Amino acid sequence: SGPTITAIDVVEYPQSNDRDIAINSEALPMLVSQAMSVQSAAVDGVSGATYTTTGFIQSLQSALSKA
């Protein structure tokens, strides 16, 4: 909404195995919370969720660039 991030909906993420589900169920809420707090894709990331963090940052930055 204008220059303010009002919501982040993660619509697609790896869920093909128990490990992906476990990592993403913990990491994605943390990443969303961080992004909402800093109002950008410049998040610190989540330890142990490098691929999830990288994908989240790239996707969010792409969405912000298009907004």
Side-chain angles (χ1 to χ4, degrees):
S1 176
T4 303
I5 299 172
T6 58
I8 298 172
D9 296 322
V10 181
V11 295
E12 188 174 324
Y13 52 91
Q15 313 178 59
S16 61
N17 60 57
D18 290 341
R19 185 168 187 266
D20 287 343
I21 293 168
I23 290 170
N24 290 321
S25 67
E26 291 193 30
L28 289 172
M30 290 180 195
L31 292 166
V32 169
S33 177
Q34 286 183 40
M36 294 293 290
S37 291
V38 299
Q39 288 291 296
S40 75
V43 298
D44 291 332
V46 177
S47 179
T50 303
Y51 293 118
T52 298
T53 298
T54 301
F56 178 85
I57 291 170
Q58 290 174 348
S59 295
L60 181 55
Q61 188 58 58
S62 175
L64 292 172
S65 294
K66 292 177 183 176

